[in-house]
Amino acid sequence: MKTNADAPSDRWHLVGICFFILGLGTLLPWNFFMTASMYFNNRLNTSEWSNGTLTATKEYYFNNWMTLLSQLPLLLFTLLNSILYPRISERIRIAGSLVFILILFILTAILVKVRLEQDHFFSITMATIWFINSFGAVLQGSLFGLVGLLPQKYSAAFMSGQSLAGTFAALAMLFAIASETDEETAALGYFITPCVGTLVTLFSYVLLPKLKSSPNEQFRGDRGKEKLPERILGKILERKQTPKSPECDGAKQAFVCVDTEHAKQAKGSVLEVFKKIWVMAFCVTFVFTVTLSVFPAVTVDVKTVYPGKWERYFIPVCCFLLFNLMDLTGRSVTSWVQWPSKESRLFPILVVSRVIFIPLLMFCNVQGRSFLPVFFTNDWMFVIIMLLFSLSSGYFVCLSMTYAPQLAGPQDGETAGALMTFFLALGLSLGAALSFLLRFIV
C-alpha cells in the first residue's frame, strides 16, 4: 500500500491542467447556447410585413425551450446512469461524446451562414441543443466517475474548469460584440470558439494516458510497465483516498468517500441514505428550480434605459458575465465560510427565501411583457438583484452538495453523491419547465 509520500507527483501540473480543460469542456455546450440567446432570438424574429403593414408575428420562446431541452437530457441520463455506463466503455463514452459535440458545434457554426425559414431553423437548433446536451450529460457523468478515482486536487481542478465555463462563454460573446464586425461574422466567430475548445478538450483526454506512460513517467509508480486501462488514473496510486469535503461546481459533484476502514462498514440502502440527506436534496432542488425559472428565460429580456452602444453590452455583461462571476464567487466563499450549519433549521429557510428573487426579477424592465408592471427601470437595481441572486445560488448549492455526504457518513458518501446529482438535475429541469409560465405571466 502506497503512502502519501509515495504518491506520484504531477510534474509541471500537466495532469491537473488536463482535468481543468476537461471540466471547462463539459459545460461549454450549455453555456455557449445560453449566452448566444440574443443571436438566436434575432434570427427567430418572425415579424412579417406586407406593403408597410405588420401582418403576422410568431413567438418561439427560444430561451424557455433552450433551457428545458438543455436540462432534460441531464435528468434522463442521470436516471439511465446505472444502465448505460456499464455497457459502453469509458473511452467510447468520453471521446465519442466529444467528437459528436464537436460535429454539432460545427453544424451550428455553418448554420450562421445558411439562410433558413424560421420554423426550420428553430427545429434544427432545438434538435441540436437536445443532442449536444445529451452527449454532454454522458461526458460529464463519465468524467466524474474518472476524476473520482483521483486525489482531491484533481477533482478541484476539474470542477474549477466547470465553474469557469460560463464566464468563458460570456467573455467570448463580449469579444465577438467588441470586434465591431457585422452580426453574422461575429456569430460565426463566436461559434467557432467552442469548436476549438472542444478540440482542445478532446486532445487533453487523449493526452492523459501518455502523460503517465511516457519515459519521463511522473505517474507510473511501481507498475509503470503496465498499460493504463480505461479508467486511466485508477492504477496510479494503488490506494484509496480518505474522505474530504468535496469541492463544488454548482451543477455536478464528485465525491471521494473511500478508505478501507469505512469500506468495511455496511452501506445503507438508498432509502436509508435519502432519509439522512432529504433536507439537502430538497435544498439543491429548490435552489436550481428558482434559478432556472428566471435565468435566462426572463433575465435575458431585461432592457437598459441607456440607449446607444451600451445596449449591445448590457445583457452579456449584466446578465451572463455577472451571473457566472458571482455564482463562482458564491461557491468559492464556502471554502472559508459554511453558515448556517448542516443541522441548522435556518439553512432550508434561507434557501426557500430565495423565491423572492422571482418577482423581483420579473418586475425589472423586462420587455415583451403582457400583464405585470415595471417597478425597477433603473439598470443598477437589476444589477444589484442579479448580484444577490447569483451569489446566493452558488453559495447554497455548494453548501447543499457539501453537507449531504457529511450527513450520510463516509460509508454512504457515494450513494449520497448519486442522489444529490439526481436532485440537482431534477431542480434544473423543474426550473426550466417553470420558466414557460413565468415568462408568460410577465
Side-chain angles (χ1 to χ4, degrees):
M1 186 75 66
K2 287 182 180 292
T3 65
N4 288 337
D6 298 325
S9 62
D10 180 4
R11 190 176 301 170
W12 302 304
H13 303 287
L14 292 178
V15 173
I17 292 172
C18 283
F19 274 106
F20 177 86
I21 294 172
L22 286 168
L24 183 70
T26 55
L27 291 186
L28 282 183
W30 153 246
N31 283 287
F32 265 83
F33 276 96
M34 177 180 64
T35 310
S37 58
M38 291 183 294
Y39 156 75
F40 288 111
N41 281 317
N42 287 340
R43 286 205 55 173
L44 293 170
N45 181 6
T46 58
S47 299
E48 297 178 7
W49 295 81
S50 176
N51 297 323
T53 303
L54 183 64
T55 59
T57 59
K58 184 172 183 179
E59 176 61 66
Y60 281 96
Y61 296 100
F62 172 82
N63 298 312
N64 304 79
W65 282 111
M66 179 271 298
T67 305
L68 183 62
L69 294 181
S70 296
Q71 304 309 325
L72 282 180
L74 175 62
L75 181 61
L76 176 63
F77 282 98
T78 300
L79 292 171
L80 295 177
N81 186 359
S82 59
I83 301 174
L84 176 66
Y85 290 3
R87 288 168 171 75
I88 302 177
S89 71
E90 188 174 83
R91 189 178 301 274
I92 291 176
R93 280 186 272 117
I94 296 176
S97 294
L98 285 169
V99 169
F100 279 107
I101 288 172
L102 176 61
I103 292 171
L104 290 167
F105 267 132
I106 292 173
L107 171 64
T108 304
I110 291 173
L111 288 179
V112 172
K113 292 289 187 179
V114 178
R115 295 295 97 189
L116 293 171
E117 292 183 5
Q118 282 86 353
D119 285 350
H120 293 160
F121 179 73
F122 179 77
S123 299
I124 293 173
T125 301
M126 290 299 109
T128 301
I129 289 173
W130 172 269
F131 285 111
I132 206 169
N133 282 282
S134 296
F135 288 116
V138 174
L139 175 66
Q140 289 182 69
S142 301
L143 285 172
F144 271 118
L146 177 60
V147 80
L149 300 171
L150 296 172
Q152 190 70 18
K153 64 178 181 179
Y154 297 112
S155 298
F158 177 78
M159 288 180 280
S160 295
Q162 286 200 317
S163 299
L164 288 175
T167 304
F168 181 78
L171 290 174
M173 175 58 73
L174 286 173
F175 284 130
I177 295 174
S179 65
E180 300 291 346
T181 59
D182 61 275
E183 183 178 313
E184 190 176 272
T185 303
L188 180 62
Y190 176 77
F191 283 114
I192 287 176
T193 304
C195 295
V196 176
T198 305
L199 268 177
V200 173
T201 304
L202 180 59
F203 174 76
S204 299
Y205 175 69
V206 173
L207 182 64
L208 272 176
K210 302 184 186 302
L211 289 176
K212 286 164 288 298
S213 58
S214 63
N216 293 332
E217 98 57 277
Q218 60 264 40
F219 279 94
R220 285 164 69 178
D222 294 337
R223 303 177 72 175
K225 295 183 180 180
E226 289 187 12
K227 290 187 176 180
L228 290 169
E230 284 182 315
R231 286 192 169 265
I232 303 172
L233 303 175
K235 300 291 184 181
I236 295 175
L237 302 181
E238 299 176 0
R239 63 184 176 87
K240 296 191 173 184
Q241 305 297 314
T242 55
K244 298 181 181 179
S245 296
E247 296 292 328
C248 183
D249 76 326
K252 289 73 189 175
Q253 298 295 315
F255 294 89
V256 182
C257 51
V258 285
D259 66 12
T260 53
E261 179 182 350
H262 292 131
K264 294 177 182 178
Q265 300 180 21
K267 291 186 177 182
S269 66
V270 172
L271 182 59
E272 290 172 338
V273 175
F274 176 73
K275 288 179 179 179
K276 297 178 182 178
I277 67 167
W278 72 268
V279 173
M280 295 304 134
F282 165 78
C283 287
V284 76
T285 303
F286 197 87
V287 170
F288 273 120
T289 299
V290 170
T291 299
L292 267 290
S293 66
V294 288
F295 176 83
V298 173
T299 58
V300 77
D301 288 329
V302 174
K303 304 299 181 185
T304 177
V305 294
Y306 303 106
K309 196 172 183 178
W310 171 239
E311 288 182 282
R312 302 179 63 195
Y313 293 93
F314 177 69
I315 289 301
V317 172
C318 297
C319 180
F320 294 116
L321 184 60
L322 178 65
F323 178 89
N324 284 289
L325 286 176
M326 290 301 100
D327 184 72
L328 176 60
T329 301
R331 295 180 191 134
S332 302
V333 167
T334 59
S335 299
W336 299 280
V337 179
Q338 294 189 355
W339 178 88
S341 67
K342 55 182 176 290
E343 297 88 4
S344 173
R345 294 183 179 180
L346 182 61
F347 184 76
I349 293 174
L350 289 176
V351 167
V352 172
S353 69
R354 287 190 74 249
V355 75
I356 190 62
F357 288 114
I358 293 179
L360 287 177
L361 288 168
M362 291 171 69
F363 286 135
C364 288
N365 192 29
V366 181
Q367 293 304 305
R369 53 199 310 128
S370 302
F371 301 105
L372 297 181
V374 176
F375 287 162
F376 308 114
T377 57
N378 191 285
D379 290 6
W380 287 108
M381 284 301 300
F382 173 67
V383 169
I384 292 171
I385 294 170
M386 277 296 296
L387 187 151
L388 297 174
F389 170 72
S390 51
L391 190 68
S392 61
S393 178
Y395 183 78
F396 286 124
V397 163
C398 194
L399 278 189
S400 300
M401 299 299 288
T402 303
Y403 284 161
Q406 296 176 11
L407 290 170
Q411 73 277 10
D412 291 318
E414 187 175 7
T415 304
L419 283 171
M420 290 297 288
T421 301
F422 167 76
F423 283 102
L424 183 151
L426 179 62
L428 291 170
S429 300
L430 290 175
L434 183 59
S435 69
F436 284 88
L437 174 62
L438 297 182
R439 188 62 187 89
F440 175 77
I441 292 174
V442 173

